[in-house]
Amino acid sequence: MMWKLLLIPVFLYAIILAFLFAFQDRLLFPTKMIGAATAPTGAAALSLQTPGGETLHGYHIPPTGGSVAPDAPVLIGFGGNGWNAATAAEYLHDLYPDHHVVVFHYRGYAPSTGRAGAAALTEDSLLVHDSVARRFPGRRIVAVGFSIGTGVAAYLGSRRELAGLILVTPFDSLEAVAAGHYPWVPVRLLFRHPTPSAQWLRGRGLPVAILAGEDDTLVRRERTDVLRTAVPNLVFDRTIAGAGHNDIYHRSDFQAAMAAALTALERG
């Protein structure tokens, strides 16, 4: 009887591990919880076909007034896991009204088809980039990533020549973020969505800007610090005092820092 009682917590622990393994896709990519997207005002609808037959949908918002400096880079946005492309595109356009902005819904995020996952999102970033490069021949491209989108942007920066990256609340490794929140779980054995941003950017010379929240409890400071040390060409680094992971976007000091970050990338 004593042995049976001792086995109860082991059994419960095994059930919890099985749940985390089975449902980690939904935890990391809550596609069913994202509201329906309404095309931003003035945006052109875009679509891409993946090699596997899925369709990605996105938007292009041109500069306000239709004019843009000839050397101004095109901005490709990669939102957080709770964002849709319309939200990310509108936010980037508000920040940078004088630049072309392109954002696609992640695979599995309606109306894009397929199933979301780290491998799918990172590979799709190459399709998005190449489409933008064809649409704007000769223009430089800057990728802007928010939260989990910083990993997608980092992967793109490791595979394509970019004018720079702007990474907001970034991490060195998504697996390490999860391990920090669940120290009692063998995350490295269960994790199916490796996103090693620091590994991808280590040795890459492209200019990188990092913006983080001082009070971010989701992507903790140590995770961003490891990424900082891995980036060879960190041209802008700003921690927003008192900002958390989600409330950072509405702060005027953050928005001013985003403008300064793009200026730093454009200079070098």
Side-chain angles (χ1 to χ4, degrees):
M1 179 63 70
M2 181 62 70
W3 282 108
K4 290 181 180 179
L5 291 175
L6 291 175
L7 287 174
I8 290 175
V10 175
F11 179 69
L12 292 175
Y13 180 66
I15 290 176
I16 293 172
L17 295 186
F19 173 85
L20 292 174
F21 180 78
F23 290 95
Q24 64 181 274
D25 292 14
R26 298 184 187 182
L27 294 172
L28 289 172
F29 307 104
T31 58
K32 304 301 182 185
M33 299 175 62
I34 309 303
T38 301
T41 302
L46 305 175
S47 64
L48 288 173
Q49 292 295 124
T50 73
E54 305 297 348
T55 303
L56 306 179
H57 294 274
Y59 308 101
H60 164 225
I61 304 181
T64 299
S67 63
V68 60
D71 60 342
V74 179
L75 308 179
I76 302 177
F78 299 102
N81 66 347
W83 296 38
N84 63 48
T87 300
E90 286 184 306
Y91 188 77
L92 277 176
H93 177 66
D94 288 343
L95 287 175
Y96 306 114
D98 297 328
H99 290 72
H100 290 281
V101 170
V102 176
V103 184
F104 275 78
H105 296 282
Y106 290 137
R107 191 187 305 200
Y109 284 66
S112 291
T113 64
R115 183 173 180 176
L121 270 56
T122 51
E123 288 302 318
D124 289 347
S125 73
L126 305 183
L127 296 177
V128 172
H129 170 275
D130 295 349
S131 172
V132 170
R134 290 191 298 268
R135 190 179 184 91
F136 301 97
R139 278 198 179 273
R140 297 178 299 161
I141 296 174
V142 168
V144 185
F146 302 96
S147 189
I148 206 169
T150 63
V152 182
Y155 178 84
L156 177 60
S158 73
R159 298 296 191 275
R160 295 291 188 269
E161 294 299 324
L162 300 177
L165 297 174
I166 298 177
L167 306 178
V168 179
T169 62
F171 46 80
D172 60 326
S173 161
L174 189 57
E175 181 180 304
V177 172
H181 284 285
Y182 302 99
W184 46 273
V185 173
V187 169
R188 287 169 176 79
L189 295 178
L190 302 176
F191 204 68
R192 297 198 307 270
H193 299 280
T195 310
S197 298
Q199 177 183 320
W200 287 333
L201 293 180
R202 188 171 284 111
R204 295 288 291 177
L206 79 165
V208 176
I210 289 179
L211 297 92
E214 180 184 43
D215 297 334
D216 192 335
T217 57
L218 183 59
V219 178
R220 294 168 180 162
R221 180 165 188 150
E222 57 265 28
R223 300 275 56 88
T224 304
D225 284 344
V226 174
L227 179 65
R228 287 184 173 102
T229 62
V231 173
N233 190 14
L234 185 60
V235 300
F236 186 88
D237 186 9
R238 185 72 53 83
T239 298
I240 307 302
H245 189 79
N246 294 314
D247 64 3
I248 190 172
Y249 300 106
H250 308 295
R251 300 174 58 114
S252 59
D253 48 352
F254 168 75
Q255 294 164 4
M258 287 290 282
L262 183 58
T263 298
L265 293 186
E266 291 176 322
R267 289 175 177 171

